[in-house]
Amino acid sequence: MIKPPFPSDEKERLSAVRSYHLLDTLPEKDFDNITALAASICDVPIALVTLLDANRNFLKSHYGVPFNESPRNTSFCAHAILEENDLFIVEDARIDPRFQRNPFVTEMNAIFYAGVRLMDPHGYPLGTLCVFDSKPRELSNKQKKALSSLAYQVVNLFESKKRNRTLMTVQEELRERNEELKNFAGIVSHDMKMPLANMIITSDMLQAKYGGLLDEQAKKYLDYIKQSSFTLSEYITGLLEHYETDKTASYVEEIFDSQDLFEEIIELLNISVDCEINLPEENFEMQANKAALEQIILNLVSNSIKYNDKEKIKIDIECREKDDLYHFSISDNGMGIPAEEMSHIFELFGTLGILDREGKKGNGIGLSTVKKLVTKLQGEIAVSSTLGVGTTIEFYIQKNGGANKAF
């Protein structure tokens, strides 16, 4: 018996093998199906998918044998990876000097061997797809081609699992970073709200105490400080709502009347302009995440009021049950949305570049938060709009435990 030597690039080859994280893993059906097929095609009792480690031959799939590893120095596959030809065949191991007195030959009657090298994309042989028989024999050209094709599929499986593992690692890193960002945003936002409140209060105090001593320009500066503080405060509140959507979406579902929900929302809006809001005529009992639903509708109705250039604002709200879903529609007679901007309105920080009725520019957080909450409630949201005429936003959410359906 001749012990197989190590390849000259063994260090790099081993690194390639271990990069797949398949050593010492449990059997998998995808690989077992391939070895079963290889054994059937070649009409042999044993078929293996092997990975050559430093001192052993690990059997990722072992059809026809009860063990999952063997010593490398007696391995047929350790010889096979050294061959330039991808298909390595030993027709009768009893007369081959490399395998005479090999324990696999003398004790397990491994006489015939055919192995195809499993080559990674960088040209390193990882192991083999191989078959054994207990008698001397030959493979037909069709069998050889089939074995090579199956080996190609094994490598594809290796690569697919490697990519999936990388993606899972990246997803976990992104999840951790997103969690860090949420925590950072929460801490910073909470810490900034108090100084902003102080700035607003201080502006009012200066205006009240020293207003008579200030000229018009100075008064404008004070008013600008106050309004900027309000704008930043609204921005921070929006960010907090956006990053706390997971918490809001996890609230326990409640049972409540639809009419009560809409009336509470109108009360929260504290509307001070000429506005007609038409509520659904039908009142029915709902079971849903009330806090999340309230935040969604509050955002949408608030936008219908803010981005409206008509003397009298008109908003129609519709709500209905259908199968396992609650459907909502909010239509207004506002400014409308340009067609080229329709696909961006639900993006975080995506703004239309237009001013609301009070001359303020939006921050692009509210609708992103709405979209995120609707998605968390296993629903979908859609928008249709005519510039200068108005906008309709429709969305649905699932009833408790309902099946997902389209509009």
Side-chain angles (χ1 to χ4, degrees), residues 207-334:
Q207 189 77 263
K209 190 170 183 177
Y210 300 106
L213 304 176
L214 300 175
D215 60 20
E216 289 304 313
Q217 191 65 35
K219 290 178 181 180
K220 285 182 180 180
Y221 287 148
L222 275 178
D223 188 58
Y224 178 73
I225 291 172
K226 181 178 178 180
Q227 291 305 317
S228 296
S229 299
F230 271 124
T231 300
L232 187 53
S233 182
E234 289 174 3
Y235 186 82
I236 290 169
T237 300
L239 275 179
L240 283 171
E241 287 178 353
H242 183 82
Y243 283 113
E244 289 178 356
T245 49
D246 289 343
K247 186 190 298 182
T248 305
S250 67
Y251 287 165
V252 177
E253 293 180 342
E254 303 175 46
I255 296 175
F256 54 92
D257 287 341
S258 60
Q259 202 70 24
D260 290 343
L261 171 72
F262 295 124
E263 288 175 359
E264 287 176 18
I265 289 170
I266 291 173
E267 188 175 341
L268 286 170
L269 284 166
N270 193 23
I271 301 169
S272 59
V273 294
D274 188 3
C275 180
E276 175 188 323
I277 298 181
N278 300 309
L279 300 180
E281 292 183 3
E282 182 185 358
N283 179 38
F284 55 88
E285 188 178 86
M286 302 179 70
Q287 183 170 354
N289 184 331
K290 186 179 180 182
L293 191 54
E294 193 171 83
Q295 187 173 337
I296 292 167
I297 298 172
L298 192 63
N299 262 298
L300 294 178
V301 176
S302 177
N303 274 354
S304 291
I305 295 172
K306 286 197 297 184
Y307 294 98
N308 197 305
D309 53 357
K310 307 301 187 297
E311 187 174 334
K312 180 171 183 176
I313 299 169
K314 183 179 178 182
I315 300 171
D316 296 318
I317 301 176
E318 295 180 9
C319 176
R320 60 189 172 90
E321 293 181 279
K322 184 180 179 183
D323 300 325
D324 298 315
L325 306 172
Y326 293 122
H327 287 258
F328 298 86
S329 172
I330 298 171
S331 301
D332 63 51
N333 63 338

Side-chain angles (χ1 to χ4, degrees), residues 13-62:
R13 191 198 69 80
L14 276 177
S15 178
V17 170
R18 290 165 183 171
S19 70
Y20 289 89
H21 297 276
L22 290 170
L23 294 171
D24 297 313
T25 56
L26 294 172
E28 296 179 55
K29 189 176 181 180
D30 288 340
F31 294 105
D32 291 344
N33 285 341
I34 289 177
T35 51
L37 187 57
S40 176
I41 290 171
C42 296
D43 192 23
V44 295
I46 297 172
L48 313 171
V49 170
T50 74
L51 289 163
L52 262 293
D53 199 4
N55 297 305
R56 59 172 177 154
N57 191 23
F58 173 70
L59 313 183
K60 177 58 185 169
S61 178
H62 45 98

